Amino acid sequence: MAATKKYVYYFGGKKAEGKAEMKELLGGKGANLAEMVNIGLPVPAGFTITTEVCTAYYANKKKYPKELKEQVLKALAKVEKDMGAKFGDKNNPLLLSIRSGARSSMPGMMETVLNVGLNNSTREGLIKKTGNARFVYDSQRRLIQMYSDVVMEKAAGIEPAEGKGVRAQLENELHKMKEARGCKSDTDLSEEDLKELVEIYKAKVKKVLGKPFPENAMEQLWGAIGAVFQSWMGKRAISYRRIEGIPDEWGTAVNVQSMVFGNMGDNSATGVAFTRNPATGENYFYGEWLINAQGEDVVAGIRTPNPINEVGKSEHTEHLVSLEKAMPSTYKELHKIERALEKHYKDMLDIEFTIQEGKLYMLQCRVGKRNGTAAVKMALDMLNEKLIDEKTAIMRVQPSQLEELLFPLLDPKDEAKAHVLCKGLPAGPGGAKGQIVLTAADAVEKIKKDPNAKLILVREETNPEDIEGMRAAQAILTARGGMTSHAALVARGWGKCCIVGAADIKIDWNTRTINIKGEKLKEGDWISLNGTKGLVYKGDLQTVSAAENKDLVKFLTLVDKYRKLKVRTNADTPEDALKARQFGAEGIGLFRTEHMFYGKGSEEPLFHLRKMIISSTETERRAALNDLFKYVKKDVKGTLAAMSGFPVTFRTIDPPLHEFVPENRDERVRLAKALNITMEQFEERAGKLHEVNPMMGHRGVRLGVTYPEITEMQIRAIFEATAELLKEGKKAFPEIMIPVTCIETELAHQYEIFNKVYPEVCQKYGMKKIPHLIGTMIEIPRAALAADKIAKYAQFFSFGTNDLTQMTFGFSRDDIGGFLGDYLEKKILPVDPFQQIDQPTVGELMKIACERGRSVRPDIKLGICGEHGGEPTSVEFCHRIGLSYVSCSPFRVPIARLAAARAAIKDIKAPAKKKK
Ligand code: PEP
Ligand code: MG
């Protein structure tokens, strides 16, 4: 016969059956309870029912494995022995707490039931044992309140509307009783009051739920265990898992543990603490405690907790008594344990403890959550203290945590109180506040009048014409668009706060108001944006600056020791290039030449570009291009100079030309005049540029094929700028990149232009050669599959994963905002593929392109310049397929640096994986 599967793991006394490494099976809480027992800490005995039971429960129509009952009873007997009390015994009763515990912590998302085992008969035994009747009645009424809510209502799936549930109704009875007795606080109620309340509660439960509160201890136990398993599939837990990317299959464990009481009088207490300050990272014991209370009172915020020690006091808590002062010897013991735990786990821990009549018990320890600032500081400090090594320090900081160190943020205190108007996609991180403005022109106008005005540009969507207004605004909020829509790209490039695809926003142009789910806001009203979370708030929230931070610089220097991937930036102006260099960019992976026609100082070049676009003959076009040349050359030169020798990838013009045709009537008239044509002729020429599906239309290299003179002008500008810099004794290294290629003949065609221009420029400047590379983007599936042919003409490939994703999925990158929310909510898509590379498909195409490209040109340079280049999972993928660099928005450069280092470290730790 096969050995019986072990579903229950005991912990208590000096020995546990589990240990810290068994998180998958025992959940985080169970594994750590076991570990604390094993290192000799005072932990109330108990047992953990494994996550496998949860999985089996759901796989088997909510039935437990048949061995479970016996194993639970056996473990319970051991707990009883260890604690010297018996579950359900009327003379010497043992009470239990039943708590969830998933592999990774899901704070507050699942259920807990405390005081299980209390009924009218065991309570008498407990009163005798403790001599504290008030405390026992209070525990019983707490059990009824929690159990009826969690087990009898929620787990039974009969939860009514918010505020109508049994818990709220019992809470109401408590209020009534307090009012009748003239009591301010729960603790003012007498023993008699609480005894009466227990009976009132029971009657109410029967009335509301139609069945009596279970008096049988075993029935309570199994009811509570079932409710915890049920809560794994509760709404809150499911949505939390979706956000955190925790798979449903993991399941939760259930921890059944002897109760200890922090509410047995003034020599009892309970508290929550961190081994270091989780908000700042400072190295001191930090926490809160409450005298005569149960754990939930600290967490639920019913009473304001006291600071645990003197060093943790703030101006708001100055007057409160610390545990250090109130119970000095217990504090000393706790402090010693907390130091030992940190040394053992080599990380900052979050601990829960209870003091029952002067005796300290540890109820939980787990690696503590921390913000980005604290994560960086702790990693560096612990490295300094030799608690951890360099690789561990790097792995301690999540790339996304760096974001908050780079942008101003909304003040979290203000945010907690503010009213959320709606949600959108978090396109540009950080926080911003400002007055609503509905057009880019108004934004520009308002800033002209008052350069200090704070504005939020709210649009249905943005287009290149809005660029000035976007610059002028503090932040951008759009109703449509995805993470790579125009607004998102531009905002991220600037490091500007931006939320896109906030579909609840309806703009009413008649009244110039916006309507958000029935709430009306007008121009000039204040709103605040949390671009990191995609939240829009009503009102004028405070922002806090996340100024340049020495720790960050030090941390990133460490990071650079380990990464293999180079990190470049996508930048289109010398200013952005400089900013990116400050963040550590090692080159520009994408200079979108068309972007020089938007924004500051772009009026004149844009006019010449438009003239070129509306031209109808090559002569006209060449004349306009001649006028344009000096602007392009100046921009190219400035950017190359700013990058002082780091490579700069200039992409030839990409967007469909009609995007640049002005809508503004005055502009159209001015252009017609300059070209010496009538308005009818103008309209006819502009109309011809219209395309039904411009994203797949006349764009990218196709423009260079139709109008070789455009490519020619750009290549000439790039080489002349480079030549001049080199002559001036400066360093410069351009890479010329052809976009939207699908077949090698397109490149062959562009190559001919290069072959004509390059020698001409060399000759003009008397130079034998001008260092450079010429290559292409891979952003069409066909190009990826034909990479061997294409590599003949390309010294480098840069993956344009924005378009590659668009064309692989067939999702328009500009319209995905309309349905992405549904797709994510209904789990049709696990994540937004425009944010994370879809490795099995888009990633596979990249892999194929790398292999085929290398087969023809072994030293081909490979990089990525789609937005994914700054997203940590995608950076890791790029490392694995052996790209030489990633390129991303300036503000994501530090994030990509860290992600690249983490990928390299994971490789060292698990080298076998690489061979896969
Ligand atoms: C891409 O397609 O990934 C890319 C970088 O080009 P763009 O976003 O300008 O189309
Ligand atoms: Mg593209």
Side-chain angles (χ1 to χ4, degrees):
M1 212 177 80
T4 322
K5 189 146 195 174
K6 189 167 173 58
Y7 289 117
V8 176
Y9 285 73
Y10 169 79
F11 56 84
K14 295 256 168 291
K15 185 94 192 81
E17 291 177 325
K19 55 182 175 182
E21 289 74 27
M22 290 167 70
K23 287 199 178 62
E24 287 186 17
L25 193 63
L26 303 181
K29 186 183 303 221
N32 287 330
L33 280 167
E35 188 78 4
M36 285 200 290
V37 167
N38 289 338
I39 57 178
L41 301 186
V43 175
F47 55 89
T48 305
I49 304 174
T50 66
T51 53
E52 285 178 353
V53 175
C54 185
T55 318
Y57 175 76
Y58 282 105
N60 198 16
K61 297 195 184 121
K62 301 197 180 170
K63 281 206 192 72
Y64 299 123
K66 61 179 184 329
E67 303 90 338
L68 183 69
K69 191 167 174 203
E70 196 191 320
Q71 294 188 19
V72 164
L73 293 181
K74 234 167 130 183
L76 181 59
K78 268 173 117 173
V79 175
E80 289 173 333
K81 196 162 162 230
D82 195 79
M83 299 302 287
K86 246 180 139 38
F87 186 61
D89 189 274
K90 65 180 191 326
N91 297 316
N92 181 20
L94 173 74
L95 299 191
L96 298 172
S97 71
I98 322 295
R99 296 170 205 261
S100 61
R103 247 191 250 186
S104 80
S105 120
M106 295 170 52
M109 298 298 133
M110 286 184 287
E111 302 296 355
T112 292
V113 190
L114 304 177
N115 303 316
V116 168
L118 252 189
N119 54 31
N120 285 4
S121 94
T122 54
R123 94 178 168 202
E124 298 311 316
L126 199 64
I127 291 174
K128 250 190 254 146
K129 199 170 146 185
T130 60
N132 190 341
R134 192 195 175 281
F135 143 75
V136 178
Y137 291 125
D138 190 42
S139 303
Q140 195 181 5
R141 72 104 195 147
R142 284 170 189 261
L143 167 70
I144 298 172
Q145 199 165 320
M146 249 185 171
Y147 192 95
S148 60
D149 169 46
V150 169
V151 185
M152 299 175 76
E153 196 170 76
K154 287 204 183 99
I158 53 168
E159 197 182 353
E162 176 97 25
K164 296 264 169 7
V166 67
R167 189 178 206 133
Q169 300 205 34
L170 296 181
E171 202 72 66
N172 194 28
E173 294 300 326
L174 175 66
H175 273 295
K176 279 199 319 214
M177 166 84 74
K178 272 170 31 188
E179 240 173 60
R181 305 289 188 272
C183 300
K184 271 208 192 97
S185 149
D186 296 5
T187 46
D188 298 336
L189 289 172
S190 72
E191 174 187 326
E192 281 311 311
D193 295 338
L194 290 165
K195 188 175 179 182
E196 195 184 323
L197 199 60
V198 166
E199 294 313 313
I200 296 175
Y201 269 23
K202 281 191 185 171
K204 193 85 196 171
V205 168
K206 185 140 188 242
K207 188 157 169 242
V208 176
L209 300 175
K211 54 180 176 183
F213 185 82
E215 281 285 288
N216 181 291
M218 260 319 158
E219 188 185 340
Q220 288 179 8
L221 174 60
W222 284 103
I225 292 173
V228 173
F229 282 136
Q230 283 280 102
S231 68
W232 176 252
M233 285 297 175
K235 246 200 214 143
R236 262 182 307 158
I238 291 177
S239 60
Y240 183 84
R241 286 203 292 278
R242 183 144 337 121
I243 295 164
E244 296 290 313
I246 300 172
D248 289 348
E249 303 75 61
W250 280 9
T252 180
V254 176
N255 297 294
V256 177
Q257 191 176 17
S258 317
M259 286 290 299
V260 284
F261 298 95
N263 55 343
M264 282 182 71
D266 284 350
N267 56 355
S268 298
T270 188
V272 178
F274 297 86
T275 57
R276 300 185 187 212
N277 185 324
T280 62
E282 286 166 289
N283 185 7
Y284 65 84
F285 186 35
Y286 174 89
E288 295 178 324
W289 75 293
L290 273 176
I291 199 161
N292 195 12
Q294 277 197 339
E296 52 168 344
D297 301 339
V298 183
V299 186
I302 300 167
R303 284 162 60 188
T304 309
N306 294 18
I308 206 158
N309 48 22
E310 295 303 300
V311 46
K313 281 188 167 177
S314 70
E315 53 188 289
H316 306 294
T317 56
E318 199 93 63
H319 59 291
L320 299 170
V321 185
S322 66
L323 183 69
E324 188 178 8
K325 282 274 157 71
M327 301 183 187
S329 70
T330 318
Y331 174 79
K332 246 193 201 148
E333 190 190 347
L334 178 66
H335 196 10
K336 211 167 130 200
I337 287 177
E338 131 330 272
R339 284 291 89 203
L341 273 172
E342 193 180 273
K343 218 165 155 198
H344 182 74
Y345 279 88
K346 302 186 184 344
D347 203 347
M348 186 271 275
L349 297 172
D350 163 351
I351 59 182
E352 283 178 24
F353 62 91
T354 282
I355 301 163
Q356 177 175 307
E357 301 191 299
K359 181 163 169 37
L360 173 67
Y361 289 98
M362 302 306 294
L363 297 188
Q364 167 152 314
C365 84
R366 62 184 166 195
V367 170
K369 291 221 156 60
R370 60 206 73 180
N371 66 19
T373 310
V376 169
K377 175 158 176 52
M378 282 180 203
L380 289 172
D381 283 353
M382 289 186 190
L383 176 63
N384 217 9
E385 294 156 23
K386 299 202 166 52
L387 195 61
I388 55 175
D389 61 14
E390 289 185 345
K391 289 188 209 111
T392 310
I394 291 170
M395 298 308 282
R396 283 284 164 83
V397 183
Q398 296 296 327
S400 58
Q401 285 183 306
L402 291 187
E403 255 176 32
E404 46 184 273
L405 279 80
L406 308 172
F407 298 102
L409 302 166
L410 290 183
D411 186 337
K413 283 198 259 35
D414 264 22
E415 248 190 297
K417 290 182 279 180
H419 167 52
V420 178
L421 285 167
C422 61
K423 271 191 96 166
L425 300 173
K433 59 172 175 177
Q435 291 174 284
I436 295 172
V437 55
L438 294 176
T439 68
D442 284 352
V444 174
E445 201 53 38
K446 287 201 157 82
I447 289 292
K448 253 191 213 150
K449 279 197 197 129
D450 173 11
N452 295 322
K454 301 248 179 294
L455 306 170
I456 309 267
L457 179 63
V458 183
R459 304 281 293 148
E460 261 133 16
E461 60 193 347
T462 64
N463 59 47
E465 284 203 354
D466 289 335
I467 217 89
E468 281 285 68
M470 292 169 73
R471 271 240 193 241
Q474 295 290 311
I476 300 119
L477 170 61
T478 72
R480 290 205 289 271
M483 291 295 281
T484 54
S485 62
H486 176 261
L489 272 179
V490 172
R492 215 157 33 239
W494 292 339
K496 192 162 264 200
C497 174
C498 173
I499 297 176
V500 297
D504 287 329
I505 294 181
K506 306 274 176 288
I507 301 181
D508 179 345
W509 286 105
N510 291 325
T511 55
R512 293 189 78 92
T513 54
I514 59 176
N515 191 324
I516 306 178
K517 292 185 275 187
E519 198 151 348
K520 271 214 168 75
L521 295 163
K522 53 185 189 317
E523 278 185 297
D525 284 350
W526 283 82
I527 53 172
S528 303
L529 267 51
N530 178 334
T532 312
K533 292 191 180 147
L535 294 171
V536 182
Y537 296 98
K538 192 170 179 173
D540 170 12
L541 273 60
Q542 287 302 313
T543 51
V544 286
S545 118
E548 276 281 324
N549 155 341
K550 281 198 198 97
D551 280 346
L552 178 65
V553 175
K554 211 159 146 195
F555 182 70
L556 288 171
T557 311
L558 173 66
V559 156
D560 288 347
K561 253 172 97 170
Y562 287 88
R563 70 184 159 91
K564 302 261 181 347
L565 273 173
K566 295 248 182 260
V567 178
R568 297 193 190 181
T569 190
N570 294 355
D572 322 301
T573 61
E575 296 87 63
D576 283 353
L578 276 176
K579 188 163 59 192
R581 282 208 51 201
Q582 284 162 7
F583 281 126
E586 298 158 297
I588 292 181
L590 175 60
F591 179 102
R592 291 177 166 102
T593 31
E594 60 271 14
H595 280 195
M596 62 170 283
F597 303 111
Y598 319 136
K600 221 167 58 195
S602 65
E603 224 167 75
E604 279 311 298
L606 181 61
F607 181 71
H608 295 303
L609 177 80
R610 286 171 165 169
K611 239 168 67 187
M612 186 274 288
I613 289 167
I614 295 296
S615 301
S616 65
T617 63
E618 189 182 328
T619 323
E620 259 180 10
R621 208 161 19 253
R622 279 200 182 270
L625 283 166
N626 266 345
D627 291 336
L628 200 51
F629 177 79
K630 64 169 190 280
Y631 296 100
V632 176
K633 183 168 150 186
K634 179 168 168 260
D635 239 44
V636 166
K637 195 170 169 183
T639 307
L640 279 168
M643 293 312 282
S644 44
F646 281 119
V648 179
T649 312
F650 295 100
R651 179 176 73 182
T652 52
I653 204 155
D654 182 344
L657 296 182
H658 76 88
E659 273 193 16
F660 297 99
V661 177
E663 286 183 2
N664 177 302
R665 168 96 194 151
D666 292 349
E667 275 300 309
R668 291 165 92 96
V669 170
R670 191 176 156 219
L671 272 172
K673 267 203 191 124
L675 283 163
N676 209 9
I677 55 176
T678 65
M679 275 318 279
E680 286 72 42
Q681 284 169 312
F682 180 93
E683 297 301 340
E684 195 202 327
R685 291 184 188 186
K688 270 195 191 144
L689 291 169
H690 174 78
E691 290 177 305
V692 175
N693 191 350
M695 263 294 175
M696 299 215 206
H698 203 178
R699 61 174 287 213
V701 65
R702 299 158 207 173
L703 295 168
V705 170
T706 313
Y707 311 116
E709 54 278 13
I710 302 181
T711 309
E712 184 183 325
M713 180 277 286
Q714 294 183 88
I715 293 185
R716 193 180 300 280
I718 293 166
F719 281 128
E720 287 202 7
T722 311
E724 283 175 15
L725 283 170
L726 295 174
K727 290 236 146 193
E728 290 161 21
K730 299 194 177 116
K731 289 188 195 152
F733 190 84
E735 297 179 347
I736 295 165
M737 178 160 81
I738 309 293
V740 201
T741 307
C742 66
I743 186 162
E744 68 279 8
T745 41
E746 290 171 323
L747 283 188
H749 177 276
Q750 299 290 290
Y751 230 85
E752 276 178 31
I753 304 169
F754 162 82
N755 281 336
K756 171 176 163 297
V757 176
Y758 177 64
E760 281 174 12
V761 179
C762 285
Q763 198 185 13
K764 177 171 172 186
Y765 289 89
M767 296 170 81
K768 272 210 192 75
K769 58 175 193 201
I770 301 169
H772 69 276
L773 290 180
I774 178 157
T776 187
M777 291 184 78
I778 301 288
E779 45 190 342
I780 294 179
R782 192 192 187 284
L785 298 171
D788 45 352
K789 307 253 178 11
I790 288 177
K792 263 192 246 157
Y793 299 96
Q795 291 169 304
F796 67 87
F797 288 164
S798 177
F799 291 99
T801 44
N802 303 334
D803 275 313
L804 192 58
T805 301
Q806 170 166 262
M807 300 203 211
T808 303
F809 278 80
F811 292 156
S812 154
R813 54 197 268 199
D814 290 313
D815 301 316
I816 190 173
F819 57 88
L820 180 65
D822 286 342
Y823 265 51
L824 295 175
E825 197 165 303
K826 295 180 181 159
K827 288 193 172 176
I828 309 251
L829 281 177
V831 289
D832 178 354
F834 287 101
Q835 282 194 57
Q836 283 186 18
I837 290 176
D838 186 57
Q839 296 179 18
T841 62
V842 178
E844 193 61 21
L845 285 167
M846 292 170 70
K847 243 161 83 182
I848 291 171
C850 291
E851 281 158 19
R852 295 188 184 170
R854 282 194 190 109
S855 73
V856 172
R857 194 189 283 270
D859 65 342
I860 190 164
K861 196 166 181 180
L862 300 164
I864 177 176
C865 65
E867 278 299 295
H868 303 88
E871 189 280 321
T873 64
S874 309
V875 173
E876 189 174 332
F877 176 76
C878 292
H879 167 89
R880 284 209 307 274
I881 62 169
L883 298 195
S884 44
Y885 69 85
V886 295
S887 187
C888 55
S889 318
F891 276 90
R892 289 171 99 183
V893 167
I895 294 165
R897 284 162 74 188
L898 175 55
R902 288 169 57 98
I905 290 169
K906 278 189 204 163
D907 238 13
I908 302 169
K909 285 191 174 156
K913 244 183 155 182
K914 201 180 170 183
K915 298 215 171 68
K916 257 209 231 161

